[in-house]
Amino acid sequence: MPYSPEHAVQTRARIVESARRLFNRHGFEQVTLDQIMAAAGLTRGAFYHHFRSKDELYASAVASFVTCNPFAIQTADAAQKLRDPQGLARMLVELYLSDEVLDNVDLHCPLYALPSDVARAGLEPQQAYTDLIRGMGHIYRTALKGVRDAGRRAETMVALCVGGMVLARTTNDPGLRKSLRASARHQALALLKVE
């Protein structure tokens, strides 16, 4: 008896979630399809029913962060959506650069967890990565509506948040980890001020 379309959607989601976690922890090159499928509780043969290639799966894993990240979950729980764009943008900066997110590798955003991998990846993963950058920038631009240099400010805020986390992840000095993120947070929030 064939599986239902709903079962196929759920299975695909399990594979994507398994891949996202493993890619975050080990990187694209270090993770095999066998590892991904085993972590999803499936056989390797099932992979090709859902994806054409590891690159396609990688793109899906990067894109999935839009719905499984702490910010999306928190805003959905708070039912805030885009009612208060300034508050939403501040919350994104605070959460993105938080200890909670830094300490939980499974929650790491591909923008700072996987930049080297994506730079070497194919067009699909790069497009998914680009969409994440644009999505984050959109939240900041919306908060800066009416500000003459809103686009530049929004891109600078993205760079501060992502850069702050990239550097914080690479140092073994806890004090530096904290101060890098605090400096990025301070500057990003200063850019949000509409004068």
Side-chain angles (χ1 to χ4, degrees):
M1 184 169 143
Y3 290 116
S4 71
E6 182 180 302
H7 181 268
V9 168
Q10 291 171 350
T11 301
R12 181 182 171 93
R14 268 183 26 219
I15 296 167
V16 168
E17 178 61 15
S18 168
R20 187 186 64 75
R21 288 176 188 267
L22 288 169
F23 291 148
N24 265 6
R25 290 184 177 277
H26 308 291
F28 179 76
E29 293 296 330
Q30 302 304 315
V31 176
T32 67
L33 292 180
D34 288 334
Q35 290 170 318
I36 292 166
M37 297 306 285
L42 300 163
T43 63
R44 182 185 175 115
F47 175 82
Y48 293 102
H49 291 288
H50 300 279
F51 300 95
R52 292 183 314 265
S53 65
K54 187 177 173 185
D55 272 2
E56 182 186 358
L57 172 59
Y58 192 45
S60 294
V62 170
S64 75
F65 190 73
V66 170
T67 56
C68 71
N69 70 72
F71 178 68
I73 293 164
Q74 193 168 0
T75 54
D77 289 348
Q80 284 182 302
K81 299 293 179 201
L82 287 175
R83 277 193 312 219
D84 174 18
Q86 276 280 322
L88 195 64
R90 273 191 303 279
M91 185 170 65
L92 176 56
V93 170
E94 295 285 351
L95 186 59
Y96 202 89
L97 293 162
S98 70
D99 291 339
E100 169 195 358
V101 171
L102 181 67
D103 294 341
N104 188 338
V105 175
D106 290 337
L107 298 179
H108 284 183
C109 174
L111 294 180
Y112 61 82
L114 305 169
S116 295
D117 281 354
V118 172
R120 292 186 298 267
L123 292 177
E124 285 180 276
Q126 289 175 357
Q127 184 59 56
Y129 200 82
T130 299
D131 292 342
L132 285 179
I133 293 169
R134 287 187 176 137
M136 191 175 190
H138 173 74
I139 291 169
Y140 296 142
R141 268 190 313 286
T142 301
L144 293 164
K145 189 175 181 178
V147 173
R148 184 174 44 89
D149 60 347
R152 181 188 57 78
R153 284 190 193 199
E155 287 179 358
T156 302
M157 291 176 70
V158 170
L160 283 164
C161 289
V162 174
M165 289 299 275
V166 166
L167 294 174
R169 286 186 74 212
T170 60
T171 180
N172 64 354
D173 180 333
L176 184 56
R177 226 181 269 134
K178 215 171 225 358
S179 68
L180 285 166
R181 289 179 298 125
S183 296
R185 182 181 306 112
H186 175 80
Q187 292 302 315
L189 293 174
L191 288 167
L192 258 184
K193 292 182 181 156
V194 179
E195 296 155 0

